[in-house]
Amino acid sequence: AQSVTQLGSHVSVSEGALVLLRCNYSSSVPPYLFWYVQYPNQGLQLLLKYTSAATLVKGINGFEAEFKKSETSFHLTKPSAHMSDAAEYFCATNRDDKIIFGKGTRLHILP
Amino acid sequence: DGGITQSPKYLFRKEGQNVTLSCEQNLNHDAMYWYRQDPGQGLRLIYYSQIVNDFQKGDIAEGYSVSREKKESFPLTVTSAQKNPTAFYLCASSIRGRQDTQYFGPGTRLTVL
């Protein structure tokens, strides 16, 4: 069954540094893959989604993710972190008529 | 503005009491979903509904109940049978068949004392 695994429940980066949040998927068929962001005490907001049209997916707020079939990965990156990026990030995939979420990675931005 | 509203933002209940969480959307979406979020657990699906008067159990439906009498509304009742109800509850909606693009409400934080 399709699922995703996020590596690292907490990630800290300095302001201006590269952000890399890791997600690996398991799927026997080409999956849809998503990244969502959640700010404290709020709902989730879709950052970007992969639907097999292009392996490099650009999202909102300067984030992007690359689908790598050989590595079964869909890591989220941003070239330069901003304080406002501090939030929890969820990788997700589709399974039947549902979305399955990873356990989340909390991103901390150090001044 | 179109969107999803959940009320209240914070809810406190005594142990043994049933409590109903509200979720309303004006996006004209057929499908609606309820998730539970616990620290370090991600989101887990409780119930979902693809159309009015129909709903299906998700991965953790025990101790919860729902109804879908109107397209706009999908209330969730946390019953006294739910062993550990304190959590953050999120409602979402989507176009039917497009569960890949879900829109989320702001959530309700339930604390059972």
Side-chain angles (χ1 to χ4, degrees):
Chain A
Q2 290 98 308
S3 67
V4 291
T5 302
Q6 292 184 245
L7 303 176
S9 57
H10 291 266
V11 170
S12 295
V13 301
S14 298
E15 191 174 16
L18 171 72
V19 175
L20 171 61
L21 304 182
R22 299 175 187 274
C23 174
N24 288 89
Y25 69 90
S26 64
S27 176
S28 57
V29 297
Y32 285 2
L33 293 163
F34 317 88
W35 276 100
Y36 283 87
V37 60
Q38 184 182 34
Y39 298 101
N41 293 311
Q42 294 186 26
L44 273 67
Q45 180 181 3
L46 182 66
L47 273 178
L48 50 82
K49 65 178 178 181
Y50 166 76
T51 58
S52 77
T55 56
L56 183 63
V57 184
K58 293 188 183 298
I60 61 172
N61 301 340
F63 284 93
E64 63 182 34
E66 186 172 8
F67 174 76
K68 291 187 176 180
K69 186 176 180 180
S70 60
E71 299 177 7
T72 62
S73 70
F74 190 59
H75 302 331
L76 181 71
T77 60
K78 182 174 181 178
S80 177
H82 192 273
M83 296 300 291
S84 61
D85 294 327
E88 189 156 21
Y89 293 80
F90 293 92
C91 183
T93 188
N94 62 306
R95 186 172 72 200
D96 301 323
D97 56 353
K98 301 184 285 289
I99 290 182
I100 306 301
F101 291 87
K103 294 189 175 183
T105 298
R106 186 166 296 279
L107 177 64
H108 305 270
I109 309 298
L110 307 173
Chain B
D1 285 338
I4 301 178
T5 57
Q6 292 185 243
S7 60
K9 182 74 171 175
Y10 300 94
L11 189 56
F12 297 87
R13 280 294 183 269
K14 291 183 178 180
E15 191 172 344
Q17 290 181 334
N18 291 356
V19 60
T20 297
L21 281 60
S22 168
C23 177
E24 304 277 334
Q25 55 95 2
N26 60 4
L27 299 169
N28 200 33
H29 286 169
D30 286 306
M32 297 185 74
Y33 312 82
W34 273 107
Y35 295 91
R36 170 182 172 138
Q37 185 178 14
D38 298 281
Q41 297 277 346
L43 276 71
R44 292 180 289 171
L45 184 64
I46 305 173
Y47 269 98
Y48 63 108
S49 168
Q50 300 281 19
I51 199 167
V52 174
N53 293 322
D54 187 43
F55 48 82
Q56 289 78 40
K57 292 182 178 179
D59 300 319
I60 56 165
E62 185 175 351
Y64 299 96
S65 66
V66 293
S67 63
R68 188 80 190 280
E69 297 177 0
K70 298 188 300 182
K71 187 176 184 177
E72 302 79 18
S73 178
F74 191 39
L76 172 73
T77 297
V78 184
T79 75
S80 57
Q82 168 52 232
K83 298 302 180 189
N84 187 19
T86 294
F88 190 53
Y89 291 87
L90 286 161
C91 179
S93 71
S94 74
I95 295 171
R96 187 180 183 189
R98 290 300 310 276
Q99 69 279 359
D100 59 299
T101 306
Q102 294 185 18
Y103 295 82
F104 283 81
T108 292
R109 186 167 296 281
L110 172 65
T111 302
V112 176
L113 307 171

